Amino acid sequence: QVYPTGEKSNINAFGASQAGQVTEITTTEKGESTVTIVNSNGVTTSQTLSTGLQLLVKQGDIVKAEQPLNMDPNVGGFGQEESEIVLQSSARVLGYLAFCFALLLTQILLVLKKKQYEKVQAAELNF
């Protein structure tokens, strides 16, 4: 995702803007990280990564162009590990089944009562 200002949001993986060596990594008071990369021609570029992202590179690493600088925040995370799934407690499931059975029985009895009432009305009209 991209903010209206053109900056990437903090749910993106940031790639290196150029190939070269990571010479400096600084963190601001807000928690943003600034990664400085120097290429083989001596051209220096700085990239600011959003707060809360876990960096994959460290000072002195050699990076390629568009190599990820941080872990992709969309992969893994909360609730994505494999575990046993428990949908409901058995007492709640049994209670729901009893409620559905009672509802069904009530509906059937109401229909039967309506049929009985219609028969009485029809019998009264015949007299």
Side-chain angles (χ1 to χ4, degrees):
Q1 290 182 346
V2 179
Y3 290 122
T5 59
E7 300 170 333
K8 286 185 175 182
S9 68
N10 64 348
I11 59 168
N12 290 308
F14 287 82
S17 58
Q18 68 177 3
Q21 183 176 12
V22 177
T23 56
E24 185 181 10
I25 299 175
T26 57
T27 305
T28 64
E29 300 89 31
K30 294 180 182 178
E32 296 176 335
S33 300
T34 303
V35 178
T36 305
I37 302 171
V38 177
N39 69 6
S40 58
N41 297 333
V43 178
T44 303
T45 57
S46 294
Q47 285 185 258
T48 303
L49 281 66
S50 301
T51 305
L53 296 176
Q54 184 177 357
L55 295 176
L56 291 174
V57 295
K58 51 188 177 295
Q59 198 165 342
D61 284 355
I62 305 294
V63 294
K64 299 175 185 170
E66 295 302 319
Q67 177 180 335
L69 298 176
N70 64 305
M71 292 184 69
D72 188 357
N74 296 316
V75 177
F78 177 72
Q80 294 187 6
E81 62 267 350
E82 293 181 25
S83 63
E84 182 180 340
I85 298 174
V86 178
L87 297 177
Q88 297 287 339
S89 68
S90 60
R92 288 183 69 181
V93 172
L94 290 175
Y96 177 71
L97 288 174
F99 171 75
C100 289
F101 178 74
L103 189 69
L104 180 68
L105 184 64
T106 304
Q107 291 293 322
I108 291 172
L109 292 176
L110 284 171
V111 169
L112 292 176
K113 187 66 175 176
K114 182 179 178 187
K115 293 287 185 187
Q116 180 186 16
Y117 183 72
E118 289 173 352
K119 285 182 183 178
V120 170
Q121 277 186 333
E124 287 176 356
L125 290 177
N126 291 338
F127 288 112

